[in-house]
Amino acid sequence: MQSRSWGLVTVAAIAVLFGALTIVSGGRALFGTAEARAAVGDAVPFVLWFNFLAGFAYVVASVGLFFRQPWAVQLSVAILFATIFVMIAFAAHLLLGGAYEMRTVAAMSLRTVVWGIIVAVALRAPAGARSLI
């Protein structure tokens, strides 16, 4: 396996772990016990829903990246751009004085950086893994 292939395997592993953790934490916040929902604090609903649903896309993208599917690179780019869009909407929410948790700022920043790295690695993959871009 080429070193770039190891890069895809690595980001695929990160993406599936990130996705699973996102689904679990988002699911608890949205559908968990009253205590679990209360622990979320001033979560911004559209950000919470986006992150929960995006977790499923993370898992799908990770499987595609692992198997070097061209559509997985496109999905990864879409995830990155969707995350940036939600970050902008979240920033607008903050500027308008909306309630929020500081951990949301950190989590969304981390998601943006992680998916930026995943996209960068996926775009550098051998041509067969990105031929449809």
Side-chain angles (χ1 to χ4, degrees), residues 18-107:
F18 209 55
L21 292 172
T22 298
I23 292 166
V24 169
S25 66
R28 283 185 187 147
L30 290 167
F31 311 115
T33 64
E35 294 83 22
R37 290 191 311 270
V40 172
D42 287 323
V44 179
F46 74 87
V47 174
L48 186 57
W49 275 102
F50 169 77
N51 287 337
F52 174 67
L53 295 173
F56 293 97
Y58 297 175
V59 172
V60 171
S62 71
V63 172
L65 289 171
F66 182 80
F67 289 108
R68 302 168 53 103
Q69 297 298 307
W71 57 263
V73 179
Q74 295 169 327
L75 178 55
S76 297
V77 170
I79 290 168
L80 175 61
F81 281 107
T83 303
I84 292 168
F85 176 77
V86 171
M87 279 281 287
I88 292 167
F90 178 60
H93 172 80
L94 299 182
L95 291 172
L96 293 172
Y100 69 98
E101 291 289 331
M102 194 61 195
R103 63 184 173 213
T104 304
V105 175

